[in-house]
Amino acid sequence: MAEAPRVRRVVTGHDDRGHAVILIDDIAPNSFTSDVIPGFGAAVPWLSGHPVDHVSDGDPVGEGSPIPNFPRVGETVFRIAEFPPDAAYPSDAQDRIFDEIDGKAEAAEGAKHSNGRHFWFHRTDSLDYAIVLEGEITLLVDDGEATLRAGDVAIQRATSHAWSNRTDRIARVAFVLIGTEPVSADEIASRRRGIPAESKRL
């Protein structure tokens, strides 16, 4: 079995005088490596509930702690994921991936408009910031795609999407997922139709 991603994390906090201190400097203990997809894995250096706790010294992602795959409203998950080349995935990749990460509902939502373009399609109720750390990966959405390289970022706004690694080496991507109020793509479309065209321009 492949080794889970190793991520050094440095976590700050406060002492009883209100002085800033280094609380943790270690390798993030909560990590995952796929049993069925060689090279696919992730580490979670931190997460937060709602409201965010800046007072206690508790480690929400200590060894063996349960980690949600997707945050609820107001929560965050900080994840470093490693995506192997698409060629490493089995022919039944979609079923096996989303079984393994407990994401069947998210996969079903992502498949509504993607026409089976890629096995990684899914949709979550979250605002996701993605930063490519190593390699190259292509972000696919229902109608379009963009290839990202180390240093590039993506802002994924509760859209149906997939991550495709069309190269021959691992792509490492950092994600900050922020849980948002549930709203379907159809509801977003309905609301957009009620907005004047000039208000939709970025």
Side-chain angles (χ1 to χ4, degrees):
M1 179 185 294
E3 183 177 316
R6 288 177 55 81
V7 176
R8 180 187 174 200
R9 63 176 183 156
V10 175
V11 182
T12 66
H14 295 87
D15 65 16
D16 292 348
R17 300 168 299 161
H19 291 195
V21 296
I22 301 294
L23 287 177
I24 301 170
D25 184 347
D26 66 2
I27 300 300
N30 206 310
S31 58
F32 155 84
T33 187
S34 173
D35 291 330
V36 297
I37 302 156
F40 174 53
V44 177
W46 201 254
L47 58 76
S48 68
H50 181 70
V52 173
D53 173 16
H54 290 312
V55 177
S56 73
D57 295 343
D59 183 355
V61 293
E63 184 105 33
S65 59
I67 302 293
N69 285 309
F70 310 108
R72 293 177 296 202
V73 177
E75 297 178 343
T76 69
V77 175
F78 178 29
R79 178 179 293 123
I80 310 292
E82 294 184 347
F83 296 90
D86 284 3
Y89 290 82
S91 58
D92 59 348
Q94 185 174 40
D95 288 336
R96 299 183 81 176
I97 290 166
F98 292 107
D99 275 344
E100 204 168 38
I101 66 170
D102 191 26
K104 287 286 194 180
E106 291 77 13
E109 281 297 309
K112 286 184 176 177
H113 303 290
S114 62
N115 297 315
R117 288 179 60 211
H118 195 273
F119 51 80
W120 253 123
F121 261 95
H122 61 291
R123 180 180 185 275
T124 61
D125 290 307
S126 59
L127 171 63
D128 305 343
Y129 300 139
I131 306 102
V132 180
L133 302 176
E134 298 175 25
E136 175 182 301
I137 198 158
T138 299
L139 169 62
L140 290 83
V141 292
D142 294 332
D143 298 318
E145 64 179 57
T147 297
L148 307 169
R149 296 172 183 86
D152 293 341
V153 304
I155 295 89
Q156 198 282 114
R157 301 170 60 217
T159 52
S160 171
H161 67 287
W163 297 101
S164 175
N165 183 347
R166 299 166 179 171
T167 74
D168 60 359
R169 66 189 190 100
I170 294 282
R172 180 179 261 216
V173 184
F175 294 94
V176 177
L177 290 77
I178 304 165
T180 56
E181 292 286 346
V183 58
S184 71
D186 291 338
E187 175 62 22
I188 290 171
S190 175
R191 291 182 191 180
R192 284 181 57 81
R193 288 192 290 270
I195 297 174
E198 61 271 12
S199 298
K200 297 177 191 175
R201 297 192 193 106
L202 294 178

